[in-house]
């Protein structure tokens, strides 16, 4: 069986190379019979590709792709694209894992995990950022809009929705929150469940917000705690302010 697999794998690779697919060190590449290529494609050494559709894309060395659609994108080196993923016009760098996600026009350079997500064009995901959208019982879809910049080492928990033109600075933590357009968060901010950040609002460094609504163009600058609160429009909260509304 092993010999038969080796022979069939070689035939599959020869078939696609004759049709213009570039393969580097093809003896080190594994491609199964359920994978197809369209247009100009390139596959680096040591790649494993199973049950996938590769269109006008470059797969760099030592990447693993399973049951995915890759279109006009680059992947790797040393990236893993897991089942039910679709990458369109996207750059996935080294040590990035993508699972059950749709990425369109996204840059994820290195050291990230993006699972069960929809991320729209123009968005950049910083190194070390992860989606952790499983609460122990259920898996939730993370939705991130257009032209969002997420800096390194941000943790995006379950039930997070981020709209367009948002900036999340490094080392921030989000869980069960809704972030509207043109919001900035962090660095080192914690946005806890039940929070809504309205368009144009700003949450600064070392700020914790819980079960609160921050209305349009309001600012919570730094070193503050806002819990179980509702801030109106154009409110400015100074450093060190806390709500202590528990008796």
């Amino acid at each position: 069986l092993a010999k038969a697999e080796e022979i069939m794998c070689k035939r599959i690779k020869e078939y696609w190379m004759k049709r213009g697919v570039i393969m580097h060190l093809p003896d080190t590449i594994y491609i199964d019979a359920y994978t197809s290529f369209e247009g100009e494609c390139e596959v680096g050494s040591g790649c494993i590709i199973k049950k996938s559709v590769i269109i006008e894309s470059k797969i760099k060395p030592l990447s693993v792709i399973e049951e995915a659609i890759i279109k006009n994108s680059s992947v790797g080196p040393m990236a893993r694209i897991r089942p039910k993923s679709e990458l369109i016009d996207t750059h996935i760098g080294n040590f990035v894992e993508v699972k059950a996600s749709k990425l369109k026009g996204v840059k994820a350079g290195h050291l990230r995990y993006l699972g069960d997500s929809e991320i729209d064009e123009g968005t950049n995901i910083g190194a070390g950022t992860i989606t952790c959208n499983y609460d122990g019982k259920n898996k939730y879809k993370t939705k991130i809009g257009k032209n969002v910049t997420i800096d390194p080492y941000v943790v995006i928990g379950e039930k997070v929705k981020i709209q367009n033109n948002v900036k999340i600075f490094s080392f921030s933590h989000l869980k069960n929150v809704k972030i509207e357009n043109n919001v900035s968060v962090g660095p080192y901010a914690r946005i806890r469940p039940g929070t809504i950040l309205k368009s144009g609002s700003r949450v600064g460094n070392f700020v914790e917000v819980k079960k609160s609504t921050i209305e349009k163009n309001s600012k919570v600058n730094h070193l503050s705690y806002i819990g179980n609160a509702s801030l109106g429009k154009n409110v400015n909260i100074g450093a060190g302010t806390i709500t202590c509304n528990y008796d």
Side-chain angles (χ1 to χ4, degrees), residues 2-245:
K3 189 64 176 178
E5 182 181 38
E6 182 181 348
I7 292 169
M8 287 304 300
C9 189
K10 184 176 181 180
R11 289 177 181 175
I12 291 166
K13 290 181 286 187
E14 288 176 348
Y15 173 88
W16 288 113
M17 284 190 287
K18 287 177 181 178
R19 282 153 180 79
V21 177
I22 297 171
M23 297 188 190
H24 300 275
L25 297 177
D27 287 346
T28 68
I29 297 170
Y30 179 89
I31 298 172
D32 73 1
Y34 303 100
T35 293
S36 65
F37 294 87
E38 298 179 27
E40 295 186 8
C41 296
E42 185 174 346
V43 181
S45 60
C47 288
I48 298 173
I49 306 175
K50 298 179 179 180
K51 297 182 180 179
S52 297
V53 178
I54 314 296
I55 305 169
E56 297 282 354
S57 295
K58 183 174 183 178
I59 313 301
K60 296 180 181 178
L62 299 171
S63 296
V64 177
I65 300 174
E66 300 173 273
E67 299 179 37
I69 300 172
I70 315 292
K71 183 177 181 181
N72 297 326
S73 299
S74 64
V75 174
M78 292 174 283
R80 185 182 182 194
I81 311 300
R82 292 171 61 185
K84 299 181 181 180
S85 293
E86 183 177 359
L87 311 182
I88 302 172
D89 301 322
T90 287
H91 167 66
I92 298 296
N94 52 288
F95 305 110
V96 174
E97 181 178 359
V98 180
K99 189 205 81 169
S101 296
K102 182 175 182 179
L103 280 56
K104 181 180 180 182
V106 174
K107 294 181 180 178
H110 42 269
L111 296 161
R112 299 158 175 82
Y113 170 71
L114 303 173
D116 299 274
S117 303
E118 292 180 7
I119 307 176
D120 215 334
E121 60 190 353
T123 291
N124 184 65
I125 309 294
T129 290
I130 63 170
T131 59
C132 44
N133 39 23
Y134 177 62
D135 65 1
K137 292 183 179 179
N138 300 298
K139 179 75 73 172
Y140 298 91
K141 181 75 72 175
T142 298
K143 295 186 177 181
I144 301 174
K146 297 179 180 179
N147 302 314
V148 174
T149 300
I150 299 178
D151 280 354
Y153 305 109
V154 172
V155 177
I156 304 173
E158 68 270 16
K159 299 182 181 179
V160 172
K161 295 182 179 180
I162 301 173
Q163 294 185 1
N164 304 324
N165 303 302
V166 170
K167 171 75 171 180
I168 310 295
F169 290 89
S170 297
F171 298 101
S172 295
H173 185 280
L174 316 173
K175 182 177 181 180
N176 192 6
V177 302
K178 181 181 179 182
I179 300 176
E180 296 186 356
N181 298 324
N182 302 302
V183 169
S184 64
V185 174
Y188 297 97
R190 185 183 181 195
I191 313 300
R192 293 174 61 185
T195 295
I196 301 174
L197 304 181
K198 297 281 191 173
S199 297
S201 59
R202 164 86 172 111
V203 173
N205 53 293
F206 302 106
V207 171
E208 181 179 0
V209 183
K210 184 196 81 170
K211 288 186 180 178
S212 297
T213 298
I214 312 297
E215 286 288 349
K216 293 182 179 180
N217 302 315
S218 289
K219 298 179 181 179
V220 183
N221 288 302
H222 41 268
L223 297 162
S224 297
Y225 169 72
I226 305 296
N228 301 85
S230 179
L231 302 186
K233 297 178 182 179
N234 303 304
V235 173
N236 188 9
I237 303 296
T241 296
I242 63 170
T243 58
C244 42
N245 41 19

